[in-house]
């Protein structure tokens, strides 16, 4: 993967930041507050941790893109 | 109360703790040794990311479980906020690191003070706020360790049994911090050992917590599925995850917590220390930006299982607030669960994990705060004293400064211990942490605003910080003190002076928010509002404006073309003496030597750059505000006004523009020079080829002539033969000279061109006739493939004939004899005419195809090198190109060589381009 141009990287980071707030806060947070379960686990923690892991993976991809390409 | 049967002996727990702390010393010592040997262990992005794990204190380790037990996912915002902050780390943190590195800033107080014109007042205020916020936090760590110790050993109250665990831990940590954190005075030199130890502590606490989590999830229960299923089946626990009408989900508080944690992760003194001051390489931020959130995720993964597992194990009536005997406090589940389940070894491991969480925080916080207190509270006072006055004969002060810093560390830890002894039972763990967070969040407007907005002024920052801190005290700190019963709680219900609008937790009648969100809202509103409002009251002073430029535009200039906002007179000796006093003689000498080397032959001049250099170096040791005062005391400086600042900035910009223009011009010259060199090389090649070609016939003519001179009686027949050869060689010589001249003429554009309308069909037929005889001698046939007629072409017929004859005679040289066959073909289309000469000879070998049009490159191998000068094809191509056409060797299709040239009906090429083409004619196409 080649390193992103700085301005594109900046915009992607800002977009990721916005996505994080959205996933973790009202009103989307309201959706996770249900009695549903995922594989027998309550949805709320699964959703919060899932979004967390997703954010970390995306962030890692953005940050670790080096100019090796 | 934990059952005495399962308790561990105090000696064992204490022994394990001390062994752990010794191991920490060993790690730090080892890392310092490695660093001294030039093989740093902290020059690594993973170590950097792990050191950020100091964010997770005992509050995380024990408190998160407690919070999860009562509130479900409510422990999470404290870690989601930092994750969001780290998303922007590459943008924000990198800028902080760059600024701090450039100006040798070593604390958050220094950062803010430096931005607003190196204000001592501001530095002191920030230090005070940090101190007030941090002391309870340190106390909390000591409390966590002490109560963990009490729980493990079954002694309900710390202090019983003749020793005080918390005091012991505090003193050991003070020793550690002094040993590895105050080695150099200059804090911008990394604390290698300390950072390595902190990274190791992060690993220990993570592994310990994961071990307990795995034990609870798979040891006490049959995996997360069963654990959660049972938890959800218990209404008292399920309520934590399922808000109902009676307990609605507090979105506002959720948001406030995330925002608070997001700010704290960069504003807490210890975080600033590990993330900014101890950063070795900006590129490490790339890895840490995701690795640190991943660390947070891992350490939180088992919080809910442990919390719910504990509630299920001990019975849900342990929920805080439940009446009756409490078998275990949820905040100690990490310890009490393994202990109660008969795994004392794991409980010990868990205790060591908690110890590492607490000690890591205390150590780094002590370093960070001691730097601030020493530089920004103690030093300004000391420097007023006579004996410290710069004009005084005071010698080297480095020892004194280090002594102050060490004393501050001991004092801070003892203060934390004292706080714990006095107030330790008053608060729940979580609330102390959040109160600290809210205190440091007050730095956000001044710090972040100052990094991106040039308009912020010192007064604005002061007003914002004072208002924010005051509101924080009134709405958060005082109520919590009141709730601990230390002061009359009446003002909580009735407001100060009985004014209802001044109720601390419902200020101006704002109700509906929890106390934390309420305090955060009012304090940050007042803080940011006054910061912006007061800043806008007047234009920034010269000092503020210049610092603003240096901070906000940090990425836009390199160290060389950064403006130096200083004017005045200075003596090198004075600056040297000042540096010696604060940095020590040895270091001062090295600094000045390095500086002189960097300046090159000019040596050290007492100019603005030197003054700035000394001031920056001093800032690393005593903070920018004190450094400013000290430097100002030994130099005569002129006050700058706004015009001066703009002028200096303008000069720096011009300088930068000049240097950029110079760089560009140099590049252009270099390119031109390369071109000239390559042309020169071509000319040399040409000259040597020409002389070589001239020498061959000359040698032969001379040899034959000498033979005839020596042998006067040579038979007439032989003499005649020799003379014949000499004539032929002479002809070859003149042909060569003519061609060279021809070539030179064409290349220089001085050739005579007699352009008329040429009938190509007739011209080709004429050429065919001319070579007829030669072909017949070689036994070759010429196949003419011509259209019936062709439009007239504007060209010089003689030159065109020269090209045709050259191609045809070339072909004739290479066709087999007999059986040779040459095709002369003319194709006409709308754009131009194409002439092809195809033979059935051996063709042009791949290796030579690229060279065939170069001068003196003849086709054929050494064995049957045909006659000729090697200039035929280059001249032909020159002629064709002059006529606006293109000559090429068609790709080999296994039927011999096929040369072709195309001439356009209308010439689009300018003569200038002809000459350009001629200049590069030596390049193969």
């Amino acid at each position: 993967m080649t390193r992103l141009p700085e301005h594109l990287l900046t915009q992607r980071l800002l977009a990721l930041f916005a996505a994080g707030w959205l996933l973790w806060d009202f009103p989307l947070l309201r959706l996770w507050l249900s009695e549903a379960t995922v594989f027998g686990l309550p949805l709320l923690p699964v959703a919060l941790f899932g979004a967390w892991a997703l954010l970390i993976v995306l962030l890692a991809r953005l940050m670790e893109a080096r100019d090796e390409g | 109360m934990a059952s005495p049967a399962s308790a561990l002996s105090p000696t064992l727990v204490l022994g394990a703790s001390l062994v752990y702390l010794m191991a920490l010393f060993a790690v730090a010592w080892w890392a310092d040794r490695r660093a001294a040997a030039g093989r740093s262990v902290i020059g690594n992005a993973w170590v950097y990311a792990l050191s950020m794990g100091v964010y997770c204190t005992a509050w995380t380790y024990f408190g998160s479980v407690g919070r999860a037990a009562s509130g479900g996912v409510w422990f999470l915002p404290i870690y989601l906020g930092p994750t969001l902050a780290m998303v922007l780390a590459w943008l924000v943190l990198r800028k902080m690191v760059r600024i701090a590195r450039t100006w040798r800033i070593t604390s958050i107080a220094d950062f803010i003070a430096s931005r607003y014109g190196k204000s001592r007042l501001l530095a002191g205020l920030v230090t005070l706020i940090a101190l007030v916020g941090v002391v309870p936090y340190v106390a909390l760590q000591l409390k966590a360790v002490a109560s963990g110790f009490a729980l493990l050993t079954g002694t309900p109250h710390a202090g019983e049994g003749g020793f005080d665990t918390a005091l012991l831990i505090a003193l050991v940590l003070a020793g550690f911090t002094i040993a590895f954190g105050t080695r150099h005075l200059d804090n911008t030199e990394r604390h290698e050992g300390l950072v390595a130890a902190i990274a190791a502590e992060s690993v220990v606490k993570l592994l310990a917590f994961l071990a307990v989590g795995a034990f609870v999830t798979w040891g006490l229960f049959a995996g997360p599925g069963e654990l959660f299923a049972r938890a959800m089946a218990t209404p008292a626990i399920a309520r934590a995850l399922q808000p109902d009408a009676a307990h609605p989900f507090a979105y506002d508080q959720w948001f406030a917590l995330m925002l608070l944690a997001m700010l704290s992760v960069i504003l807490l003194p210890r975080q600033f220390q590990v993330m900014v001051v101890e950063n070795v390489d900006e590129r490490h931020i790339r890895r840490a930006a995701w690795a640190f959130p991943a660390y947070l995720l891992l350490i939180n993964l088992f919080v809910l299982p442990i919390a719910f597992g504990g509630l299920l194990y001990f019975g849900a009536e342990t929920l805080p607030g439940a009446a009756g005997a409490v078998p275990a406090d949820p905040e100690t589940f990490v310890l009490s669960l393994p202990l109660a389940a008969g795994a004392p070894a794991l409980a010990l491991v868990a205790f060591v994990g908690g110890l590492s969480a607490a000690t890591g925080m205390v150590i780094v916080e002590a370093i960070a705060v001691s730097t601030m207190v020493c530089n920004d509270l103690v030093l300004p006072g000391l420097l007023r004293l006579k004996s410290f006055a710069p004009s005084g004969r005071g010698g080297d002060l480095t020892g004194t400064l280090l002594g102050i810093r060490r004393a501050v560390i001991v004092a801070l830890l003892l203060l934390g211990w004292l706080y714990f002894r006095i107030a330790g039972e008053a608060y729940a763990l979580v609330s102390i942490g959040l109160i600290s967070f809210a205190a440091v969040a007050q730095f956000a407007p001044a710090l972040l605003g100052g990094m991106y907005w040039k308009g912020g002024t010192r007064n604005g920052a002061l007003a914002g910080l004072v208002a924010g801190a005051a509101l924080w005290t009134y709405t958060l700190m005082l109520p919590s003190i009141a709730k601990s019963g230390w002061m009359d709680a009446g003002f909580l219900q009735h407001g100060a002076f009985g004014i209802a609008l001044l109720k601390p937790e419902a200020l101006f009648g704002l109700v509906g928010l929890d106390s934390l969100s309420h305090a955060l809202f009012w304090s940050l509103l007042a803080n940011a509002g006054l910061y912006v409002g007061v800043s806008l009251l007047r234009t920034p002073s010269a000092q503020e404006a210049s610092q603003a430029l240096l901070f906000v535009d940090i990425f836009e200039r390199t160290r060389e073309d950064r403006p130096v906002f200083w004017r005045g007179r200075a003596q090198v000796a004075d600056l040297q003496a000042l540096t010696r006093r604060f940095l020590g003689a040895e270091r001062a000498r090295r600094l000045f030597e390095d500086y002189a080397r960097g300046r090159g032959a000019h040596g050290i001049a007492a100019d603005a750059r030197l003054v700035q250099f000394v001031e920056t170096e001093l800032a690393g040791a005593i903070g920018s505000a004190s450094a400013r005062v000290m430097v100002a005391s030994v130099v005569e400086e002129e006050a700058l006004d706004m015009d001066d600042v703009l002028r200096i900035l303008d000069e720096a910009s011009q300088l930068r523009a000049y240097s950029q223009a110079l760089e560009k011009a140099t590049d252009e010259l270099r390119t031109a020079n390369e071109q000239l060199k390559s042309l020169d090389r071509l000319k040399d090649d040409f000259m040597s080829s020409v002389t070589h070609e001239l020498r061959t016939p000359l040698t032969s003519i001379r040899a034959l002539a000498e033979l005839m001179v020596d042998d006067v009686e040579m038979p007439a027949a032989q003499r005649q033969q020799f003379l014949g050869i000499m004539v032929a060689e002479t002809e070859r010589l003149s042909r060569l000279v003519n061609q060279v001249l021809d070539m030179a003429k064409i290349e220089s554009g001085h050739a005579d061109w007699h352009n008329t309308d040429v009938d190509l069909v007739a011209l080709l037929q004429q050429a065919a006739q001319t070579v007829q005889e030669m072909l017949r001698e070689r036994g070759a046939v010429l196949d003419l493939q011509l259209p019936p007629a062709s439009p007239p072409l504007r060209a010089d017929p003689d030159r065109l004939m020269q090209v045709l004859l050259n191609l045809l005679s070339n072909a004739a040289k290479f066709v087999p004899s007999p059986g040779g066959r040459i095709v002369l073909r003319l194709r006409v289309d709308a754009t131009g005419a194409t002439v092809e000469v195809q033979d059935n000879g051996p063709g042009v070998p791949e290796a030579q195809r690229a060279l065939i049009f170069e001068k003196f490159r003849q086709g054929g191998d050494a064995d049957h090198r045909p006659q000729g000068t090697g200039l035929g094809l280059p001249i032909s191509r020159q002629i064709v190109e002059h006529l606006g056409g293109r000559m090429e060797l068609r790709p080999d299709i296994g039927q011999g060589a096929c040369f072709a040239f195309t001439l356009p009906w209308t010439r689009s090429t300018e003569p200038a381009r002809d000459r350009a083409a001629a200049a590069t004619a030596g390049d193969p196409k």
Side-chain angles (χ1 to χ4, degrees), chain B residues 119-394:
Chain B
S119 154
R120 276 182 165 186
L121 189 58
L122 206 45
L125 181 63
V126 171
T127 304
L128 263 182
I129 295 175
L131 196 60
V132 172
V134 156
V135 170
Y137 209 169
V138 170
L140 162 71
Q141 308 301 317
L142 298 176
K143 176 188 170 177
V145 174
S147 48
F149 181 81
L151 184 95
L152 274 195
T153 55
T155 45
H157 296 292
E160 283 182 13
F163 61 86
D164 186 329
T165 339
L167 182 60
L168 185 69
I169 297 284
L171 290 177
V172 172
L173 290 184
F176 181 92
T177 315
I178 287 170
F180 293 101
T182 58
R183 188 153 291 185
H184 334 278
L185 182 63
D186 186 345
N187 267 319
T188 53
E189 282 185 18
R190 314 279 174 263
H191 302 110
E192 297 263 349
L194 192 107
V195 173
I198 296 306
E201 295 218 89
S202 289
V203 175
V204 169
K205 68 191 171 200
L206 177 64
L207 291 181
F209 198 84
L210 288 177
V212 175
F215 171 76
V216 172
T217 311
W218 286 283
L220 300 184
F221 296 86
E226 194 234 344
L227 198 162
F228 276 103
R230 279 181 57 188
M232 291 303 103
T234 314
I237 302 176
R239 207 169 49 227
L241 284 183
Q242 288 301 323
D244 49 35
H247 306 86
F249 196 87
Y251 295 105
D252 49 354
Q253 194 185 355
W254 182 268
F255 174 83
L257 282 173
M258 269 191 8
L259 180 71
L260 195 56
M262 193 176 91
L263 296 176
S264 304
V265 81
I266 48 172
L267 299 176
L268 281 167
R270 65 172 186 280
Q271 294 302 121
F272 189 88
Q273 183 76 27
V274 294
M275 290 165 117
V276 178
V277 181
E278 305 286 353
N279 175 290
V280 192
D281 185 336
E282 278 176 24
R283 285 167 301 178
H284 291 173
I285 295 174
R286 280 185 177 264
R287 169 114 356 117
W290 66 268
F292 173 49
Y295 180 92
L296 294 179
L297 188 150
L298 282 178
I299 208 164
N300 279 293
L301 205 53
F302 284 111
V303 168
L304 276 178
I306 294 176
F308 290 173
L311 291 177
L312 290 169
Y313 191 84
F314 292 114
E317 67 274 12
T318 54
L319 272 175
V326 178
D329 180 353
E331 288 191 350
T332 57
F333 276 171
V334 178
L335 300 176
S336 54
L337 267 176
L339 205 58
L346 184 63
L348 193 59
V349 168
F351 174 73
V352 169
L355 185 66
S356 74
T359 53
M361 179 276 179
V362 172
I363 291 167
V364 183
E365 208 84 88
I367 291 275
V369 172
S370 76
T371 308
M372 286 198 266
V373 171
C374 171
N375 288 352
D376 301 318
L377 286 184
V378 179
L379 204 54
L382 278 185
L383 290 176
R384 275 177 226 273
L385 297 179
K386 267 258 158 45
S387 58
F388 276 85
S391 51
R393 296 160 309 282

Side-chain angles (χ1 to χ4, degrees), chain B residues 535-613:
Chain B
S535 290
L536 291 178
L537 282 183
R538 63 169 175 81
T539 54
S541 72
Q543 173 86 349
E544 287 164 342
S546 57
Q547 285 300 108
L549 278 167
L550 297 177
F551 270 56
V552 177
D553 295 338
I554 189 80
F555 284 122
E556 285 170 28
R557 289 164 195 277
T558 59
R559 195 175 279 275
E560 283 68 37
D561 58 24
R562 203 163 275 142
V564 181
F565 297 104
W566 188 84
R567 242 179 12 186
R569 267 194 309 278
Q571 301 291 330
V572 175
D574 293 341
L575 291 168
Q576 263 170 335
L578 185 68
T579 316
R580 268 200 301 277
R581 285 194 72 202
F582 286 103
L583 299 178
E586 171 58 23
R587 218 175 109 71
R589 193 180 54 74
R590 253 188 299 130
L591 275 178
F592 274 80
E593 279 174 7
D594 288 347
Y595 180 79
R597 216 170 302 137
R599 301 298 288 168
H602 309 298
I604 297 183
D607 56 5
R609 202 161 277 281
L610 176 69
V611 172
Q612 188 195 40
F613 171 76

Side-chain angles (χ1 to χ4, degrees), chain B residues 455-537:
Chain B
T457 65
R458 186 190 77 125
N459 286 352
L462 273 176
L465 277 172
V466 168
L471 278 166
W472 168 81
T473 309
Y474 188 68
T475 57
L476 206 57
M477 193 70 185
L478 287 185
S480 76
I481 292 177
K483 283 175 190 166
S484 310
W486 289 4
M487 56 186 276
D488 181 21
F491 80 106
L492 280 183
Q493 269 83 50
H494 313 298
F497 318 112
I499 303 169
L501 280 184
L502 294 184
K503 273 197 269 187
E505 294 187 318
L507 200 60
F508 307 123
L510 182 70
V511 290
L513 290 172
D514 65 284
S515 60
L516 180 77
S517 313
H518 173 265
L520 198 64
F521 169 73
W522 279 122
S523 60
L524 280 184
L525 178 77
N527 187 335
L530 282 176
Y531 169 64
V532 174
V534 173
S535 290
L536 291 178
L537 282 183

Side-chain angles (χ1 to χ4, degrees), chain B residues 405-485:
Chain B
R405 210 165 279 174
R406 287 171 183 151
V408 172
I409 289 172
V410 175
L412 180 75
L413 289 183
L414 287 180
L415 205 60
W417 171 78
L418 201 67
Y419 195 98
F420 153 66
R421 296 300 291 177
I422 297 171
E425 305 306 318
Y427 300 112
L429 286 180
V430 171
S431 60
I432 295 187
L434 287 179
I435 290 172
S436 283
F437 274 29
V440 298
Q442 302 308 323
F443 303 149
L447 188 142
L448 296 175
M451 278 168 62
Y452 293 95
W453 181 44
K454 290 180 193 162
T457 65
R458 186 190 77 125
N459 286 352
L462 273 176
L465 277 172
V466 168
L471 278 166
W472 168 81
T473 309
Y474 188 68
T475 57
L476 206 57
M477 193 70 185
L478 287 185
S480 76
I481 292 177
K483 283 175 190 166
S484 310

Side-chain angles (χ1 to χ4, degrees), chain A residues 3-4 6 9-14 16-21 24-27 29-37 39-42 44-45 48-49 52-57 59-66, chain B residues 73 75-76 79-81 83-88 90-91 94 224-225 228-229 232 240-243 249 251 254-255 258-259 262 283 285-291 293-298 300-302 304 308:
Chain A
R3 181 168 282 182
L4 286 171
E6 199 66 32
L9 179 65
T10 304
Q11 292 174 55
R12 289 197 186 174
L13 289 173
L14 289 172
L16 203 59
F17 179 76
W21 272 115
W24 283 332
D25 214 326
F26 188 79
L29 180 59
R30 182 69 195 81
L31 294 182
W32 320 137
L33 287 168
S34 83
E35 290 182 20
T37 56
F39 302 118
L41 304 175
L44 179 60
L48 291 175
F49 275 93
W52 200 352
L54 180 75
L55 207 67
I56 290 169
V57 169
L59 184 58
R61 281 183 57 97
L62 277 183
M63 289 280 98
E64 296 286 339
R66 304 255 158 193
Chain B
V73 293
F75 64 99
L76 270 180
Y79 308 95
L80 301 183
T83 300
L84 290 176
M86 292 312 283
V87 171
L88 299 185
W90 184 244
L91 309 179
R94 188 169 56 112
F228 276 103
M232 291 303 103
L241 284 183
Q242 288 301 323
F249 196 87
Y251 295 105
W254 182 268
F255 174 83
M258 269 191 8
L259 180 71
M262 193 176 91
R283 285 167 301 178
I285 295 174
R286 280 185 177 264
R287 169 114 356 117
W290 66 268
Y295 180 92
L296 294 179
L297 188 150
L298 282 178
N300 279 293
L301 205 53
F302 284 111
L304 276 178
F308 290 173

